[in-house]
Amino acid sequence: MEARPSSPVVGVSLCDSAPLLWRVQDLRVVRSRGLVGALLGSLPRTPRQNVRLGRPLLLLPEEERLLTDRHAAAAPGDQQDGGGVELDLQVQQHQEDQQRSYEEQKVLALEDRKSALLRAMTSHTGSGAGDEALQGRLEALDRSFTFPSSALAVQLSTARAGLSYCPEAQDFLRADRPIRGRAEQSGDTTRYQVFRDLRGRGFYLTSAGKFGGDFLVYPGDPLRFHAHFIAVCLSLHASVCLLDVLAAARLGSNVKKTVLFCSPGPDRVLYTSVQWSGMV
């Protein structure tokens, strides 16, 4: 039986199928594993800027899948791992707190409705028939009052609730359903095989959409190094137009990077580097 690793379990939230990390400890864990992601959130004290961003951290589909393959991400219903049990307990606690809040708000809403009727009763002290009708409505209100769940006021977590850097911070934003199953994960196999192989060689990878490729490949942490390569993922027997090869090489030359054509083979990934050397 394969032994499960003792490394921390990462809770991945899903927002419209996008894998997000909210907790500081989760960000530290994935960074220590060489996964970079992209910060999306604004800072609480400077929300009207996009130069310095904060949580949540958006993972690439390949980063999410790599965490799953290495058993570092919490899978739904995973009771063999202590982290999965802890997630289930926190989800249950959240649901209980939400139900308790619903009951409290229902009582408050009923009291507000009664107060409105009582004010109406005191304004019609001269009419006995009106007072009797209002008194009947007040009694019927206790029996028939309903409070829809859609009217529940939900308190959103902020920098003062669950988002602090203290170890004892409450994990309000830990996911109900932390990570997708293998069948739900997006991203094609070719990209993932290339990502896994390059990461296994010690490179750091980020998205290269604005450079016309699949990944930017860094020799070390992107905070310390510039990217050296633009990885373009292709199937092994795919045909490539010569003009596309020239365009990719020219773009790589303009941004001082080498273009890598990456093709997963039966036993290893094949790499072909392309650099622009000028027209003859």
Side-chain angles (χ1 to χ4, degrees), residues 10 56 67 135 159 179 214 216-217 236 257 272:
V10 178
L67 284 174
Q135 183 65 38
I179 198 166
D214 291 292
L216 285 178
V217 184
L236 186 59
K257 305 183 193 311
T272 304

Side-chain angles (χ1 to χ4, degrees), residues 26-70:
D26 290 339
L27 269 65
R28 290 173 177 169
V29 169
V30 298
R31 193 71 177 199
S32 67
R33 296 176 178 271
L35 304 180
V36 181
L39 292 170
L40 299 180
S42 60
L43 300 180
R45 294 188 178 182
T46 53
R48 298 182 180 276
Q49 53 84 35
N50 58 2
V51 178
R52 298 181 59 192
L53 299 177
R55 290 171 288 171
L57 180 77
L58 174 66
L59 295 177
L60 292 173
E62 292 77 20
E63 292 174 323
E64 179 194 8
R65 184 172 174 182
L66 186 63
L67 284 174
T68 307
D69 288 350
R70 293 182 177 179

Side-chain angles (χ1 to χ4, degrees), residues 186-267:
S186 58
D188 75 320
T189 305
T190 300
R191 281 173 51 99
Y192 176 65
Q193 290 177 337
V194 172
F195 182 92
R196 182 178 59 185
D197 185 74
L198 288 173
R199 183 66 206 115
R201 296 170 182 264
F203 292 102
Y204 286 66
L205 292 92
T206 62
S207 176
K210 63 182 179 181
F211 291 93
D214 291 292
F215 303 112
L216 285 178
V217 184
Y218 298 78
D221 194 304
L223 293 176
R224 300 178 56 191
F225 297 92
H226 290 289
H228 286 187
F229 306 99
I230 301 174
V232 179
C233 302
L234 303 169
S235 60
L236 186 59
H237 301 291
S239 60
V240 183
C241 176
L242 180 59
L243 292 179
D244 292 338
V245 175
L246 293 176
R250 183 64 173 170
L251 176 60
S253 174
N254 288 343
V255 295
K256 297 181 173 60
K257 305 183 193 311
T258 300
V259 175
L260 278 182
F261 289 108
C262 314
S263 301
D267 53 354

Side-chain angles (χ1 to χ4, degrees), residues 77-257:
D78 187 359
Q79 300 298 329
Q80 298 179 356
D81 196 319
V85 176
E86 181 185 354
L87 278 176
D88 292 340
L89 292 176
Q90 291 188 358
V91 171
Q92 181 180 358
Q93 180 65 36
H94 170 73
Q95 293 174 344
E96 293 175 355
D97 292 342
Q98 194 172 26
Q99 181 63 29
R100 190 181 306 111
S101 176
Y102 171 80
E103 297 297 336
E104 294 174 354
Q105 294 184 39
K106 181 178 179 180
V107 172
L108 293 175
L110 178 59
E111 292 178 354
D112 289 342
R113 187 70 61 84
K114 286 183 176 180
S115 298
L117 286 176
L118 289 174
R119 287 195 299 269
M121 291 174 60
T122 56
S123 63
H124 293 80
T125 54
S127 175
D131 290 345
E132 293 178 0
L134 289 173
Q135 183 65 38
R137 290 180 58 188
L138 189 62
E139 294 175 355
L141 186 61
D142 287 324
R143 299 189 299 269
S144 61
F145 178 77
T146 58
F147 184 69
S149 58
S150 59
L152 177 66
V154 180
Q155 181 180 2
L156 298 179
S157 299
T158 64
R160 295 181 178 272
L163 291 180
S164 68
Y165 289 87
C166 303
E168 64 275 7
Q170 299 180 7
D171 301 332
F172 287 151
L173 293 177
R174 196 157 191 176
D176 180 343
R177 188 168 178 271
I179 198 166
R180 288 173 282 186
R182 191 177 300 273
E184 303 175 57
Q185 290 176 343
S186 58
D188 75 320
T189 305
T190 300
R191 281 173 51 99
Y192 176 65
Q193 290 177 337
V194 172
F195 182 92
R196 182 178 59 185
D197 185 74
L198 288 173
R199 183 66 206 115
R201 296 170 182 264
F203 292 102
Y204 286 66
L205 292 92
T206 62
S207 176
K210 63 182 179 181
F211 291 93
D214 291 292
F215 303 112
L216 285 178
V217 184
Y218 298 78
D221 194 304
L223 293 176
R224 300 178 56 191
F225 297 92
H226 290 289
H228 286 187
F229 306 99
I230 301 174
V232 179
C233 302
L234 303 169
S235 60
L236 186 59
H237 301 291
S239 60
V240 183
C241 176
L242 180 59
L243 292 179
D244 292 338
V245 175
L246 293 176
R250 183 64 173 170
L251 176 60
S253 174
N254 288 343
V255 295
K256 297 181 173 60
K257 305 183 193 311

